[in-house]
Amino acid sequence: MGSDRQQGQRGVSAPDADTGEDRKPLSDEARSAFTPPLGVPRPPAPAPDGEHPTSEFAIPEGLTAEPAAEPEGSAFTAPAGVKPASGNQTTGSFPIVTPPHGIPVVRLIKDAPWQDRMRTMLRMPVSERPVPERVERQDDSGPAVPRVLDLTLRIGELLLAGGEGAEDVEAAMFGVAHAYGLDRCEPTVTFTLLSVSYQPSLVDDPVTASRTVRRRGTDYTRLSAVFRLVDDITSQEDFTLEEAYRRLAEIRRNRHPYPGWALTVAGGGLAGAASMLVGGEWPVFFAAAVGAMLGDRLAWLASGRGLPEFYQFVAAAMPPAAMGVALSLADSGLQASAVITGGLFALIPGRALVAGVQDGLTGYYITAAARLLEVGYLIVGIVCGVLTVLYGGIQLNARLDPEAALRHVERPTIQILAAMLLALTFSILLQQERHTVLFATLNGGVAWVVYGALADTANIPPVAATTVAAGLVGLFGQLLSRYRYASALPYVTAAVGPLLPGSATYFGLLALAQGNLDRGIPHLTQAAALALAIAIGVNLGSEAARLFLKIPGAEKDPTGRRAAKRTRGF
């Protein structure tokens, strides 16, 4: 009965809950475990696109989805709300974002001297330097990189051999390389070695070349010609390598503007003018001139025999000292000390001293140490020559009384004319161009007027007065060089001649020859202090000119010329 009842129940058809129609009975095998029981509605049919709302990745109801990430933009596209490059917003001195057209290039204007343009770039990191505005084309023979590096080294060699400071030499080398498209270029200057390295990119091997400076000579005419060549290379767009090599060959072939006899006469005139500055009369002027000319000829003879420069200075210092001792032995009544002092003025290496201290102040310590060591050797040579003669004069009972020469005589007109004559003859000895001689002469007169006004009228110590006078010389020389687009050395070196410590050096040497160390050491210390005051004053005047004058590219690059950072003692 029970089984019949179950079979009957299985055979009865039931109406469909959804459609109301009768469904056919299903067997147990046909009934699925996922089929909802009778009376339970079916779940909604899946969407046509195949989405599964019951997936574990679906967001439950009541929760909000995270905002979609913004698409990654380009580094060269300005975000919304940021002005383009023409009106770039900045924070301090750096842009907030990279403008759509890139960071504005520092336009180093052509109207500014190339020294300022290249100094501004030398103190920038390589990655921040502006791209060259002109790239040298490559021909079928290969890239022009080796030729550009060779030209750069040859120009740097002429500048360094002529006595130019290390910073200006590096600026010139970098200017030449940058003008011909070598932007990732690093020049290095020491006292006798020049090197330049160029790396096309971070993944390419660098190309390095070097050159040794074996001979140095004084020819400011050649120095000015090299400055004009560098200015043409860095300012003219179509200045080719062939034209640069041709100009460089002409500069090397040019003869000195003054013959040898003119240099000898100029040396005598310098010694005579220096003797007038320390109180000498006209007979002393001619005696000092004769002694200096004899010393110059003796030094030329030693040079012709191949003797080192040290012995040349020893030979050049002996005749002026011998002339002073002879006047003292003859009891002529002339100031023998003024004669010897005048001869020392013509020998003190003021050019190398100024360049050495300038290199030290600008951070080129290796070159500065080498230059100052050279100055020390030359001064020791002068000391040896003078002391030898003075010691012999003392043995002959020569009356060399330093107190007689210490009498200060104020003759403003004569001393100003003597200072201008000294600067004039110094310009000839430096082989300067004729149109620069007048400016250097006037600058030397200004230096002595300022020194006399401070030391004699205002009673300011000689070291401070020398510093101020040398600072004005450096300032005027820097302004003249900017006006002429040339080196400042022709306008500065000869002008500081009247300020050289000739008398202090002589008094110190005389005291040493007499065995009086208590008097000699203070005089020599004063001479060293005056020499450093001259060099520091000249450099300070030059830096003052650069400080207050407009720096190229300052409107677009507020950093300007970057200074060396302080070490704070460690």
Side-chain angles (χ1 to χ4, degrees):
M1 292 286 297
S3 58
D4 295 339
R5 186 179 299 115
Q6 292 177 358
Q7 292 177 358
Q9 291 177 354
R10 292 181 188 137
V12 177
S13 60
D16 195 336
D18 294 333
T19 60
E21 298 178 355
D22 294 338
R23 292 184 299 176
K24 296 181 180 180
L26 300 175
S27 63
D28 293 338
E29 290 79 5
R31 192 182 297 274
S32 172
F34 297 98
T35 302
L38 297 176
V40 177
R42 292 184 179 182
D49 54 356
E51 294 183 358
H52 301 279
T54 59
S55 172
E56 63 270 20
F57 298 102
I59 300 175
E61 296 181 1
L63 297 181
T64 58
E66 296 181 359
E70 297 181 0
E72 183 178 355
S74 173
F76 300 96
T77 303
V82 179
K83 297 180 180 180
S86 59
N88 186 27
Q89 300 176 356
T90 58
T91 301
S93 59
F94 300 95
I96 297 177
V97 296
T98 303
H101 301 290
I103 297 177
V105 177
V106 180
R107 296 290 180 181
L108 300 176
I109 54 178
K110 304 300 183 182
D111 296 334
W114 62 264
Q115 299 98 309
D116 288 342
R117 289 185 269 140
M118 294 304 114
R119 284 194 190 98
T120 302
M121 297 181 61
L122 268 179
R123 300 201 174 187
M124 292 182 182
V126 178
S127 58
E128 298 182 12
R129 290 173 182 169
V131 179
E133 300 177 7
R134 180 188 66 179
V135 180
E136 182 70 11
R137 295 181 178 179
Q138 299 179 0
D139 51 17
D140 297 337
S141 60
V145 172
R147 296 188 64 197
V148 173
L149 296 183
D150 178 72
L151 177 67
T152 301
L153 291 174
R154 291 179 182 273
I155 290 177
E157 178 189 11
L158 288 180
L159 292 176
L160 187 62
E164 192 62 68
E167 186 180 25
D168 289 330
V169 176
E170 280 196 2
M173 294 173 63
F174 182 78
V176 173
H178 188 269
Y180 286 109
L182 307 187
D183 54 334
R184 303 180 62 88
C185 183
E186 287 295 339
T188 304
V189 175
T190 59
F191 185 56
T192 57
L193 181 65
L194 299 169
S195 64
V196 58
S197 178
Y198 169 66
Q199 188 176 14
S201 66
L202 294 177
V203 297
D204 293 329
D205 295 332
V207 181
T208 304
S210 61
R211 195 173 184 88
T212 303
V213 180
R214 302 190 182 277
R215 297 188 61 184
R216 292 182 299 275
T218 304
D219 190 346
Y220 282 3
T221 299
R222 179 177 295 178
L223 190 69
S224 300
V226 176
F227 262 70
R228 287 192 295 269
L229 173 60
V230 176
D231 182 65
D232 292 339
I233 292 175
T234 57
S235 59
Q236 298 181 13
E237 298 292 339
D238 55 348
F239 203 89
T240 62
L241 275 174
E242 288 72 16
E243 179 66 17
Y245 270 106
R246 186 187 65 80
R247 287 271 299 276
L248 188 63
E250 292 178 356
I251 293 173
R252 288 181 173 275
R253 286 195 301 265
N254 286 343
R255 299 178 60 87
H256 299 307
Y258 307 103
W261 63 267
L263 300 180
T264 301
V265 174
L270 190 154
S275 66
M276 299 287 287
L277 284 179
V278 295
E281 301 293 340
W282 287 107
V284 175
F285 175 91
F286 291 107
V290 171
M293 287 189 290
L294 291 177
D296 181 76
R297 288 292 91 189
L298 189 60
W300 276 107
L301 180 62
S303 176
R305 295 294 181 179
L307 291 178
E309 197 172 12
F310 174 85
Y311 299 104
Q312 297 177 28
F313 272 79
V314 173
M318 296 178 69
M323 182 65 68
V325 171
L327 292 178
S328 179
L329 291 175
D331 198 11
S332 59
L334 300 177
Q335 293 178 325
S337 299
V339 175
I340 301 176
T341 300
L344 291 178
F345 263 89
L347 297 177
I348 295 177
R351 173 181 60 87
L353 176 65
V354 171
V357 175
Q358 180 180 358
D359 288 342
L361 294 177
T362 52
Y364 295 85
Y365 300 114
I366 296 178
T367 307
R371 289 186 188 273
L372 293 179
L373 183 62
E374 180 191 28
V375 171
Y377 271 105
L378 298 182
I379 291 179
V380 169
I382 298 172
V383 168
C384 292
V386 174
L387 281 181
T388 301
V389 177
L390 291 181
Y391 184 77
I394 292 174
Q395 299 302 318
L396 296 175
N397 297 323
R399 292 181 297 177
L400 298 172
D401 187 8
E403 300 296 335
L406 285 175
R407 293 178 301 175
H408 185 69
V409 180
E410 294 186 7
R411 301 178 298 175
T413 304
I414 295 178
Q415 289 178 334
I416 291 174
L417 293 177
M420 296 178 66
L421 177 61
L422 192 153
L424 172 65
T425 53
F426 206 167
S427 301
I428 297 176
L429 288 176
L430 294 174
Q431 300 280 0
Q432 293 186 195
E433 293 179 309
R434 290 178 172 83
H435 69 271
T436 64
V437 172
L438 177 61
F439 294 103
T441 302
L442 295 177
N443 207 7
V446 170
W448 184 259
V449 168
V450 173
Y451 172 80
L454 295 177
D456 298 337
T457 305
N459 295 324
I460 294 178
V463 175
T466 301
T467 304
V468 175
L472 289 177
V473 168
L475 177 62
F476 294 154
Q478 191 66 227
L479 294 177
L480 288 171
S481 68
R482 289 169 178 269
Y483 175 73
R484 295 281 184 174
Y485 287 79
S487 172
L489 289 182
Y491 305 103
V492 171
T493 305
V496 300
L499 304 176
L500 293 176
S503 58
T505 304
Y506 166 69
F507 296 147
L509 296 180
L510 179 59
L512 292 180
Q514 294 175 343
N516 192 348
L517 297 180
D518 294 338
R519 180 179 296 175
I521 293 178
H523 280 299
L524 293 179
T525 303
Q526 183 185 13
L530 291 174
L532 291 177
I534 293 173
I536 293 175
V538 169
N539 180 262
L540 186 61
S542 301
E543 293 296 331
R546 301 191 187 109
L547 180 63
F548 294 106
L549 293 181
K550 179 181 177 182
I551 298 178
E555 297 84 359
K556 298 182 180 179
D557 183 19
T559 58
R561 182 193 182 200
R562 303 189 181 188
K565 301 190 71 173
R566 230 168 8 119
T567 59
R568 301 184 185 273
F570 52 82

